[in-house]
Amino acid sequence: MSPNSAEKFGLLSHGMGSESKGYTSSDKPHSRGPSRLSKTFLTTLVALFLLYAWHVKHGKPIPVSCSEKLVGEDYGWGDITPTEDINLYPCFNGYRCARLAVPLDYTDPSPGHTAAIAVTILEATDTSRPYGGPVLINPGGPGGSGVFMVLAYGELLQQIIGRHHSIVGFDPRGVNNTTPTFTCFEDALRRKVFIEKDDGKVLAGGSEVAETYARFKALSESCGTVAGEEKGGYVNTPSVARDMLEISERLWELSGERGRGLQYWGFSYGSVLGSTFAAMFPERVERIVVDGICDAEDYYSASWKANLQDTDKVLASFSTYCSQAGPVRCAFHTGSTPEDVTIRLHNLLQKLSAEPLPIPSSQSTTSAPEIITESDIRNLLFSSLYSPLSWFPIVAQILAALESGNGREYLAIARAGFECDCPGSPRMPDTGGEVALAIACSDGARVPDDRRAFDEYLRELTSQTKVFGGIWARFRLGCINWSFRPKGLEFSGPYSGNTSTPVLIIGNTKDPVTPLINAHAMSKDFPGSVVLEQNSEGHCSISAPSLCTAKHIRRYFETGEVPPAGTVCEADMKPFIGAGDVVKTMSTEDKELLKALEELAMELKLKPWFRHLTRVG
């Protein structure tokens, strides 16, 4: 990379030099990266527009104008020459970035037929201890950006795992900063137009099913036209698992060690990636934590039927915690039992179904007339199930306001960003939700164009949860007649293996989309693995702070020791209620760790990929 290119990539930061523990890198000046304020904005982008607007409304200092730089300067990913060995350059005010060249097709590697994997590293900061090695992170999706996650949450994850480890984010094939990127639209404006045409109706068996079916069928066919084989054929999960092995080996070599295995923490879909790696390379597993477990067989069959078994239980917890908290802490409190709150919610949904709430422009946050429908609130409720600790109090206030005919609370959240489209910059591109289609539809079995079969599928999901089955069914629609099938490296299972180190499997007692039963099913396929149950609601363990869970994760990365079978960790904070008096008796170290866990739970939102393709939620 030339000096001029390096300057564009970033020069003026005060990040770590090449003497930092664990890595060597090019001896270049440091780049000016995001301030703490800018990092806060990055974390907010991960969340749905919903949480973004709520922070703005309550005074959190987050820039909202596209005219303002999102994070510092353009770091010029395109100016880094991809190399087979990882060459690290300073970026983002204290991080290191690289582009790793890997074969598009591992079964037939050839020069010029490569992918460039974007890698961003938060280096180890505790030099008083032996270097603990790199830990790769995947935020799920599929299609989630690991670069994004590490920039936004790397410091918090490192505090849990141990600061003598480096935290490694990478963008999987097709995603954001990794090239070739996958997109079904010529530009961000066309994607925006497509999204704005979707009214987000929950599928219930009427005309909205036909409309949504046709909409996603058109998208699927467009993806085949716009993307091309090279972009659409090589993004499958087995290829990404092989990329992870390459990233891990190259990073271990930079630290002076060879022959070490993968260290990894994957969330949601990241559990599919983790279990696929463990099945393909069981002897290369050094530490694998999978958190929020998808059923691998269900995922690869493109069924997505093993997700909603506990969804209604999480919704019921809204009423339970609201009732326990009382009217001061829960704005939607009523009566003396959780059933009273549930009835109040049911009545509101029925009222909106019969009479959507009209909002004249004089009362609208968008200065345009709006309506708020039952589907709007169902989608809002579904979003809240992912992160009850942060979302339930917000939802309670919105519901109470809607009852009195006030829709401003809802619109301030749901329409945030409506006036301003902020497309990804060359430094941090946004490939949109369609990259998830590229991954999930290519991984899964073919989904034929069969409306009758889809209607039956919708009925089956609705039998699992009447309130939310029609939301989840959208997953399958995007894969109708999907053009691309996996090319190059494939793996058809079984998704099991006798790993060199036992896998740590984590599941919440009540998870809205990755039920605990999946964790126990996965454990049977990997001898020696253990399920760590966290007694909380929400998606993945990080949706609720638990010192017990965090300490088991830290011990596992330190020693490889899994907790005893049957271990259940309690959450230290509950929605509406908080942590109570337990904090007073904690050590200073535990208080600091709990604070980090709380920040992670309140800020990080792991959401379904299809929200990027529709106005759902």
PDB file of all heavy atoms in Angstrom, residues 249-261:
ATOM      1  N   GLU A 249      -5.625 -19.052  11.811  1.00  0.00           N
ATOM      2  CA  GLU A 249      -4.244 -19.516  11.636  1.00  0.00           C
ATOM      3  C   GLU A 249      -3.299 -18.353  11.358  1.00  0.00           C
ATOM      4  O   GLU A 249      -2.192 -18.297  11.914  1.00  0.00           O
ATOM      5  CB  GLU A 249      -4.181 -20.541  10.505  1.00  0.00           C
ATOM      6  CG  GLU A 249      -4.810 -21.875  10.861  1.00  0.00           C
ATOM      7  CD  GLU A 249      -4.701 -22.890   9.736  1.00  0.00           C
ATOM      8  OE1 GLU A 249      -4.461 -22.457   8.579  1.00  0.00           O
ATOM      9  OE2 GLU A 249      -4.841 -24.096  10.000  1.00  0.00           O
ATOM     10  N   ARG A 250      -3.725 -17.425  10.498  1.00  0.00           N
ATOM     11  CA  ARG A 250      -2.847 -16.297  10.170  1.00  0.00           C
ATOM     12  C   ARG A 250      -2.616 -15.398  11.374  1.00  0.00           C
ATOM     13  O   ARG A 250      -1.505 -14.892  11.582  1.00  0.00           O
ATOM     14  CB  ARG A 250      -3.458 -15.484   9.017  1.00  0.00           C
ATOM     15  CG  ARG A 250      -3.599 -16.241   7.719  1.00  0.00           C
ATOM     16  CD  ARG A 250      -2.224 -16.655   7.153  1.00  0.00           C
ATOM     17  NE  ARG A 250      -2.380 -17.625   6.072  1.00  0.00           N
ATOM     18  CZ  ARG A 250      -2.303 -18.938   6.225  1.00  0.00           C
ATOM     19  NH1 ARG A 250      -2.066 -19.437   7.434  1.00  0.00           N
ATOM     20  NH2 ARG A 250      -2.451 -19.755   5.207  1.00  0.00           N
ATOM     21  N   LEU A 251      -3.621 -15.211  12.197  1.00  0.00           N
ATOM     22  CA  LEU A 251      -3.456 -14.358  13.374  1.00  0.00           C
ATOM     23  C   LEU A 251      -2.593 -15.023  14.439  1.00  0.00           C
ATOM     24  O   LEU A 251      -1.780 -14.368  15.102  1.00  0.00           O
ATOM     25  CB  LEU A 251      -4.823 -13.970  13.948  1.00  0.00           C
ATOM     26  CG  LEU A 251      -5.648 -13.020  13.081  1.00  0.00           C
ATOM     27  CD1 LEU A 251      -7.003 -12.757  13.722  1.00  0.00           C
ATOM     28  CD2 LEU A 251      -4.909 -11.704  12.852  1.00  0.00           C
ATOM     29  N   TRP A 252      -2.768 -16.330  14.618  1.00  0.00           N
ATOM     30  CA  TRP A 252      -1.886 -17.043  15.551  1.00  0.00           C
ATOM     31  C   TRP A 252      -0.425 -16.957  15.082  1.00  0.00           C
ATOM     32  O   TRP A 252       0.491 -16.763  15.894  1.00  0.00           O
ATOM     33  CB  TRP A 252      -2.293 -18.512  15.668  1.00  0.00           C
ATOM     34  CG  TRP A 252      -3.391 -18.799  16.653  1.00  0.00           C
ATOM     35  CD1 TRP A 252      -4.625 -19.305  16.389  1.00  0.00           C
ATOM     36  CD2 TRP A 252      -3.335 -18.627  18.079  1.00  0.00           C
ATOM     37  NE1 TRP A 252      -5.348 -19.450  17.540  1.00  0.00           N
ATOM     38  CE2 TRP A 252      -4.571 -19.045  18.602  1.00  0.00           C
ATOM     39  CE3 TRP A 252      -2.356 -18.158  18.959  1.00  0.00           C
ATOM     40  CZ2 TRP A 252      -4.868 -19.016  19.967  1.00  0.00           C
ATOM     41  CZ3 TRP A 252      -2.647 -18.121  20.319  1.00  0.00           C
ATOM     42  CH2 TRP A 252      -3.878 -18.538  20.807  1.00  0.00           C
ATOM     43  N   GLU A 253      -0.228 -17.074  13.779  1.00  0.00           N
ATOM     44  CA  GLU A 253       1.138 -16.995  13.248  1.00  0.00           C
ATOM     45  C   GLU A 253       1.747 -15.620  13.503  1.00  0.00           C
ATOM     46  O   GLU A 253       2.943 -15.510  13.797  1.00  0.00           O
ATOM     47  CB  GLU A 253       1.132 -17.317  11.753  1.00  0.00           C
ATOM     48  CG  GLU A 253       0.869 -18.787  11.446  1.00  0.00           C
ATOM     49  CD  GLU A 253       0.653 -19.047   9.970  1.00  0.00           C
ATOM     50  OE1 GLU A 253       0.757 -18.081   9.177  1.00  0.00           O
ATOM     51  OE2 GLU A 253       0.360 -20.200   9.606  1.00  0.00           O
ATOM     52  N   LEU A 254       0.953 -14.574  13.400  1.00  0.00           N
ATOM     53  CA  LEU A 254       1.456 -13.228  13.682  1.00  0.00           C
ATOM     54  C   LEU A 254       1.929 -13.097  15.121  1.00  0.00           C
ATOM     55  O   LEU A 254       2.832 -12.318  15.419  1.00  0.00           O
ATOM     56  CB  LEU A 254       0.371 -12.181  13.407  1.00  0.00           C
ATOM     57  CG  LEU A 254       0.154 -11.764  11.948  1.00  0.00           C
ATOM     58  CD1 LEU A 254      -0.951 -10.743  11.868  1.00  0.00           C
ATOM     59  CD2 LEU A 254       1.440 -11.202  11.350  1.00  0.00           C
ATOM     60  N   SER A 255       1.314 -13.854  16.002  1.00  0.00           N
ATOM     61  CA  SER A 255       1.718 -13.791  17.413  1.00  0.00           C
ATOM     62  C   SER A 255       2.864 -14.743  17.718  1.00  0.00           C
ATOM     63  O   SER A 255       3.299 -14.854  18.872  1.00  0.00           O
ATOM     64  CB  SER A 255       0.521 -14.109  18.317  1.00  0.00           C
ATOM     65  OG  SER A 255       0.130 -15.466  18.179  1.00  0.00           O
ATOM     66  N   GLY A 256       3.339 -15.450  16.686  1.00  0.00           N
ATOM     67  CA  GLY A 256       4.495 -16.324  16.871  1.00  0.00           C
ATOM     68  C   GLY A 256       4.147 -17.749  17.212  1.00  0.00           C
ATOM     69  O   GLY A 256       5.028 -18.529  17.595  1.00  0.00           O
ATOM     70  N   GLU A 257       2.871 -18.134  17.071  1.00  0.00           N
ATOM     71  CA  GLU A 257       2.466 -19.499  17.412  1.00  0.00           C
ATOM     72  C   GLU A 257       1.842 -20.174  16.198  1.00  0.00           C
ATOM     73  O   GLU A 257       1.131 -19.556  15.419  1.00  0.00           O
ATOM     74  CB  GLU A 257       1.470 -19.494  18.578  1.00  0.00           C
ATOM     75  CG  GLU A 257       2.037 -18.912  19.865  1.00  0.00           C
ATOM     76  CD  GLU A 257       1.145 -19.207  21.046  1.00  0.00           C
ATOM     77  OE1 GLU A 257       0.769 -20.390  21.213  1.00  0.00           O
ATOM     78  OE2 GLU A 257       0.823 -18.276  21.794  1.00  0.00           O
ATOM     79  N   ARG A 258       2.079 -21.453  16.063  1.00  0.00           N
ATOM     80  CA  ARG A 258       1.501 -22.242  14.984  1.00  0.00           C
ATOM     81  C   ARG A 258       0.773 -23.451  15.566  1.00  0.00           C
ATOM     82  O   ARG A 258       1.054 -23.892  16.668  1.00  0.00           O
ATOM     83  CB  ARG A 258       2.585 -22.709  14.006  1.00  0.00           C
ATOM     84  CG  ARG A 258       3.252 -21.575  13.231  1.00  0.00           C
ATOM     85  CD  ARG A 258       4.312 -22.110  12.278  1.00  0.00           C
ATOM     86  NE  ARG A 258       4.936 -21.032  11.526  1.00  0.00           N
ATOM     87  CZ  ARG A 258       4.478 -20.571  10.372  1.00  0.00           C
ATOM     88  NH1 ARG A 258       3.399 -21.124   9.828  1.00  0.00           N
ATOM     89  NH2 ARG A 258       5.106 -19.583   9.742  1.00  0.00           N
ATOM     90  N   GLY A 259      -0.166 -23.951  14.791  1.00  0.00           N
ATOM     91  CA  GLY A 259      -0.865 -25.156  15.206  1.00  0.00           C
ATOM     92  C   GLY A 259      -1.985 -24.931  16.200  1.00  0.00           C
ATOM     93  O   GLY A 259      -2.551 -25.902  16.714  1.00  0.00           O
ATOM     94  N   ARG A 260      -2.319 -23.693  16.488  1.00  0.00           N
ATOM     95  CA  ARG A 260      -3.392 -23.410  17.438  1.00  0.00           C
ATOM     96  C   ARG A 260      -4.737 -23.409  16.718  1.00  0.00           C
ATOM     97  O   ARG A 260      -4.839 -23.142  15.525  1.00  0.00           O
ATOM     98  CB  ARG A 260      -3.159 -22.059  18.117  1.00  0.00           C
ATOM     99  CG  ARG A 260      -1.853 -21.951  18.876  1.00  0.00           C
ATOM    100  CD  ARG A 260      -1.838 -22.819  20.126  1.00  0.00           C
ATOM    101  NE  ARG A 260      -2.826 -22.381  21.103  1.00  0.00           N
ATOM    102  CZ  ARG A 260      -2.570 -21.489  22.066  1.00  0.00           C
ATOM    103  NH1 ARG A 260      -1.373 -20.915  22.145  1.00  0.00           N
ATOM    104  NH2 ARG A 260      -3.510 -21.166  22.933  1.00  0.00           N
ATOM    105  N   GLY A 261      -5.794 -23.688  17.464  1.00  0.00           N
ATOM    106  CA  GLY A 261      -7.117 -23.806  16.881  1.00  0.00           C
ATOM    107  C   GLY A 261      -7.934 -22.533  16.995  1.00  0.00           C
ATOM    108  O   GLY A 261      -7.471 -21.496  17.492  1.00  0.00           O
TER     109      GLY A 261
END
